Amino acid sequence: MQEIKQYIEDHKERLLNELFDLLRFPSVSADPKYKEAVIKTAEYTAEKLREAGADNVEVCPTEGYPIVYGEKIIDSSKPTVLVYGHYDVQPPEPLELWKTPPFEPTVRDGKIYARGACDDKGQFYMHVKAFELMMRTNSLPCNIKFMIEGEEEVGSNNLGIFVKENKERLKADVVLISDTSMLSMETPSLETGLRGLSYLEVEVVGPNRDLHSGVYGGAVANPATILAKMIASLHDENNHITIPGFYDDVAELSAEERQALNAAPYDEEEYKKDLDIAEVWGEKGYSTLERTGTRPTLEVNGIWSGYIGEGAKTVLPSKANAKISMRLVPNQTSDKITRLFTEHFTRIAPPYVKVKVTPHHGGEPVVTPTDSIAYQAAQKAITEAFGVPPIPTRGGGSIPIVALFEAELGIKTVLMGFGLDSDALHSPNEKYDIFNYYKGIETIPLFYKHYAELSK
Ligand code: BES
Ligand code: MN
Ligand code: MN
């Protein structure tokens, strides 16, 4: 422990500067204009893995963005940890809301502000540096494999193929991921589940062209109004989702499980204050922690139609669009929910419009075990580094590859994230606390130590 702390202290500035260099690459996977930067980020990541001491480092091409692989096999009789992370980031827009530019990392008040600071560059880079630390201090007790991808934020489509084609190379005893949140640095936690996802786009088409809203208004249905009504009808007065069959497969938690989940610290007043909302909202009969952790949801991520420029234009739009996502919980599956949504949305369309539904991407929900030695190792590591044991929580976000690792490779995951929900992931002014970054680098080698010991 002392040796770990000393190493971090001795290399403090470099550890931070290297992360800053990584954050300067605008590796936005969703927008093709950043293509070159995304590829450079993969190369930088590979170089840093090599420098840290990894063998067989490779920037593996895919149909999309490359996957960076590297490994250190010290002894085939020792357990193997597969570290997964992603070097791609979400688009930074809206740019005008950033206090400092998204790809010029800036420290304010002990926090690093940049797109990807927390999700996931700041977090996966802790693993590269913790690995370096273990290599340089001669204390790596397990085999380690790194797989850092560049398409997580757009659905990891090519990663699935890579995993299927590289089963032997990816063989491991556990997957370790830092891409989730903790409750706070004072009350550390470990996420034990992630929601799945069905993401699709809908289009409601009315007249064959935009019309004068005075000449035709009143006689022709307005697709924007129709879309708004259709979307509004997807929740009932109890905020249940109205799609027939939507809840059929949902695993209900036992009274004990619900109680354990609700024991996590949650201050509703703080929650509302942080978001500047007067009331929380959600499915009747469930707490906020349950609503985000254990219940499926439906959200409109974007909606557009007609004239949205400066000033006023009188127009009855020809069509209206929305991007809709549903978060899924065990035992829902993304294919089935996408099908149920499509059938329902098509069925509720009134005769004045035509409806088109286009699926984007999906991912399956997961619950990770809390009785495994890997989970115990994470518990021990966090307890040692933070002084208090972690609280198990259920995360609301999605990391589709976790279910795939289990299905394809039969490997379970430990979600040892160090972010905070308040780190503004996917929002303007994303940040990551410098404290969390160093704390992560300190905790990770402890995980390896305990995992190796418990595996004996
Ligand atoms: N790291 C997040 C997921 C996350 C964040 C899980 C916080 C738990 C707590 C990941 O990068 C992400 O944003 N995933 C997407 C899904 C993907 C298919 C676009 C998401 O959850 O929206
Ligand atoms: Mn992420
Ligand atoms: Mn993300």
Side-chain angles (χ1 to χ4, degrees):
M1 178 81 164
Q2 211 35 52
E3 197 179 16
I4 298 173
K5 285 199 155 152
Q6 193 59 49
Y7 187 91
I8 297 171
E9 183 59 34
D10 292 346
H11 299 270
K12 228 167 137 183
E13 268 176 43
R14 181 178 56 82
L15 295 176
L16 205 55
N17 287 333
E18 288 179 16
L19 172 60
F20 279 29
D21 287 341
L22 178 63
L23 290 169
R24 285 194 188 95
F25 293 100
S27 53
V28 180
S29 50
D31 187 341
K33 82 170 180 240
Y34 295 102
K35 187 168 177 192
E36 219 173 298
V38 184
I39 293 165
K40 284 220 173 84
T41 317
E43 283 158 5
Y44 179 86
T45 303
E47 190 47 43
K48 289 293 156 185
L49 273 177
R50 251 178 234 121
E51 279 174 26
D55 300 326
N56 303 319
V57 175
E58 199 184 321
V59 177
C60 312
T62 74
E63 288 282 301
Y65 287 121
I67 291 159
V68 182
Y69 180 84
E71 62 183 23
K72 189 76 205 176
I73 308 297
I74 52 163
D75 178 345
S76 60
S77 68
K78 297 254 161 73
T80 302
V81 177
L82 175 60
V83 176
Y84 164 84
H86 62 95
Y87 64 82
D88 66 322
V89 300
Q90 285 275 325
E93 284 77 15
L95 288 174
E96 66 279 10
L97 295 183
W98 284 79
K99 290 208 180 87
T100 47
F103 299 109
E104 287 174 28
T106 310
V107 175
R108 284 195 299 278
D109 200 18
K111 297 166 183 77
I112 310 158
Y113 285 85
R115 172 56 87 232
C118 175
D119 185 10
D120 178 40
K121 287 173 171 172
Q123 294 210 64
F124 93 70
Y125 205 64
M126 297 179 323
H127 286 267
V128 181
K129 293 296 100 176
F131 169 60
E132 171 198 296
L133 181 157
M134 291 185 283
M135 290 298 289
R136 304 248 175 108
T137 57
N138 227 338
S139 60
L140 180 68
C142 305
N143 303 309
I144 182 165
K145 296 177 174 179
F146 284 92
M147 187 174 88
I148 314 294
E149 71 150 321
E151 296 186 310
E152 197 277 340
E153 299 291 11
V154 288
S156 302
N157 286 336
N158 294 296
L159 187 66
I161 301 166
F162 182 81
V163 168
K164 286 190 183 94
E165 287 174 356
N166 287 272
K167 287 190 178 172
E168 200 48 43
R169 171 147 68 159
L170 297 173
K171 243 188 178 164
D173 297 286
V174 67
V175 178
L176 181 62
I177 304 179
S178 295
D179 193 23
T180 50
S181 306
M182 278 196 174
L183 290 165
S184 74
M185 284 294 111
E186 294 75 42
T187 46
S189 54
L190 273 168
E191 286 192 9
T192 60
L194 292 165
R195 288 194 287 187
L197 187 70
S198 286
Y199 199 114
L200 29 84
E201 200 162 319
V202 299
E203 182 166 85
V204 169
V205 183
N208 59 6
R209 58 185 188 276
D210 282 3
L211 303 174
H212 189 291
S213 65
V215 175
Y216 289 96
V220 177
N222 186 319
T225 310
I226 303 286
L227 175 62
K229 278 194 180 185
M230 290 172 74
I231 287 174
S233 78
L234 296 175
H235 289 97
D236 69 12
E237 67 283 6
N238 292 323
N239 300 325
H240 287 294
I241 293 154
T242 55
I243 300 168
F246 186 82
Y247 292 98
D248 280 2
D249 302 325
V250 170
E252 297 287 341
L253 269 65
S254 67
E256 294 81 57
E257 284 175 307
R258 288 184 74 171
Q259 202 179 11
L261 201 86
N262 285 311
Y266 163 73
D267 182 335
E268 189 145 298
E269 288 315 309
E270 266 309 303
Y271 192 86
K272 293 195 287 193
K273 207 170 119 207
D274 176 46
L275 302 175
D276 210 358
I277 52 171
E279 278 307 330
V280 295
W281 176 97
E283 190 182 358
K284 194 174 171 188
Y286 296 93
S287 69
T288 295
L289 291 175
E290 291 175 315
R291 285 168 179 169
T292 58
T294 67
R295 298 298 294 168
T297 53
L298 182 149
E299 298 296 332
V300 178
N301 299 261
I303 181 165
W304 66 102
S305 177
Y307 182 69
I308 51 167
E310 285 287 316
K313 176 189 178 189
T314 47
V315 61
L316 192 165
S318 153
K319 58 182 189 180
N321 303 69
K323 290 183 194 278
I324 293 175
S325 68
M326 287 158 285
R327 294 282 167 175
L328 316 179
V329 300
N331 300 311
Q332 292 177 302
T333 62
S334 138
D335 276 351
K336 179 167 173 190
I337 292 298
T338 298
R339 179 170 58 75
L340 290 178
F341 177 93
T342 307
E343 285 168 9
H344 179 67
F345 206 73
T346 312
R347 195 166 48 230
I348 62 172
Y352 333 108
V353 293
K354 293 187 213 66
V355 162
K356 201 166 99 195
V357 180
T358 315
H360 275 282
H361 50 68
E364 307 310 330
V366 279
V367 171
T368 60
T370 52
D371 56 359
S372 64
I373 54 168
Y375 186 81
Q376 284 164 26
Q379 270 181 321
K380 284 190 168 202
I382 289 172
T383 308
E384 208 172 326
F386 288 77
V388 276
I391 297 170
T393 60
R394 292 277 195 100
S398 308
I399 308 176
I401 195 62
V402 177
L404 248 153
F405 279 139
E406 206 173 316
E408 293 298 328
L409 305 174
I411 317 176
K412 306 264 187 195
T413 295
V414 170
L415 298 163
M416 197 166 73
F418 295 88
L420 300 175
D421 283 345
S422 55
D423 280 340
L425 324 179
H426 298 199
S427 305
N429 304 305
E430 178 179 348
K431 67 171 161 54
Y432 194 43
D433 227 294
I434 296 177
F435 178 84
N436 300 32
Y437 179 61
Y438 290 136
K439 204 68 183 170
I441 301 176
E442 182 186 324
T443 310
I444 293 163
L446 295 171
F447 169 85
Y448 284 86
K449 184 186 87 176
H450 291 298
Y451 186 55
E453 277 169 12
L454 290 168
S455 298
K456 273 181 195 153

